[in-house]
Amino acid sequence: APWAPEPGIAAVNIRRVAGGPLPPRLLWVDYADRSEATARSPEALNTLRRMVEGTMAVWPDWYEEDSAGHWQRRPHTDDAELRLLARHHRARLMPLVRLHADKPFDWDEAERIAVRDRLDGFTVMVYKMPGPDWMAAAESEAVRRELALNLLMIEPQGNQAIMREITPYVGLLPGPRRDRALPITPTATVDPTVDLDTLGPQILRMQGF
């Protein structure tokens, strides 16, 4: 038991202190298709609040590329609640954008939208990972523009993704830049009583927001 000769003061010997980074957790918010703007249900907002807390980055499914190569905001993807929660919990806001496979990445368009919409970067869904030359050129562009990208390739089964970071600053995943395999877990399957930090590195996918 703690003891010290002076009343009211306890002496404790600390033999060992251990620590380390929490496992990276990323939140993919997949919006439902809507014909008109509707309010989110209290249940959806409560789930969003719980999932954002402790998350390193939030990927709302906000943008898609049209046939002319311009990025368009998906209709009725309201962002007020999500923006507030991401900023409050200091999560990076890196919306998902779906690009056509046969078009090169438009860095000017990405930079323009990132500045306009006050974003930390983008998560780009690809059908296959680019080669080393593209990666090297992208690293240079990311540094020059101070714009981060996550390349995301969903595997055919849909329960795992290959992710590669291209960033001018400290990344979301520890260690060197390389392709990482991360499981995709639907938030609807997560036990509401579980501590999310015990789940390990993964992508949590919130569908139908």
Side-chain angles (χ1 to χ4, degrees), residues 1 18 23 34 37 47 52 93 102 116 123 142 172 181-182 191-192 198 207:
R34 290 182 170 84
T47 299
V52 171
L93 192 55
D102 58 343
R116 184 195 68 189
T123 300
L172 301 169
L182 294 172
D191 184 343
T198 65
Q207 295 173 282

Side-chain angles (χ1 to χ4, degrees), residues 82-101:
L82 194 148
R83 277 185 178 277
L84 287 171
L85 288 168
R87 295 308 180 204
H88 177 73
H89 292 289
R90 299 182 180 181
R92 296 181 189 176
L93 192 55
M94 304 183 71
L96 190 77
V97 56
R98 302 169 188 269
L99 302 181
H100 293 295

Side-chain angles (χ1 to χ4, degrees), residues 62-74 97-100 103-104 106 108-110 112-113 116:
W62 281 349
Y63 302 100
E64 57 190 359
E65 189 179 49
D66 63 20
S67 58
H70 301 299
W71 294 15
Q72 301 292 340
R73 182 67 177 263
R74 292 182 60 200
V97 56
R98 302 169 188 269
L99 302 181
H100 293 295
K103 293 183 180 296
D106 191 336
D108 291 334
E109 182 87 340
R112 180 184 67 81
I113 293 176
R116 184 195 68 189

Side-chain angles (χ1 to χ4, degrees), residues 17 88 130 133 149:
V17 175
H88 177 73
D133 292 343
L149 293 184

Side-chain angles (χ1 to χ4, degrees), residues 26 59 71 94-97 99 104-107 121-139 142 147-155 160-167 172-173 177-182 203:
L26 311 165
W59 304 342
W71 294 15
M94 304 183 71
L96 190 77
V97 56
L99 302 181
F105 186 77
D106 191 336
W107 283 95
F122 295 96
T123 300
V124 181
M125 187 173 288
V126 297
Y127 297 97
K128 65 177 181 178
M129 283 295 176
D133 292 343
W134 191 96
M135 291 290 189
E139 290 278 2
L147 182 66
L149 293 184
N150 300 319
L151 299 182
L152 190 71
M153 183 180 71
I154 308 299
E155 296 197 341
Q160 183 169 275
I162 305 300
M163 176 178 159
R164 174 70 174 265
E165 289 187 277
I166 300 172
T167 176
L172 301 169
L173 305 177
R177 301 281 187 265
R178 58 184 175 86
D179 293 354
R180 306 292 185 94
L182 294 172
I203 299 168

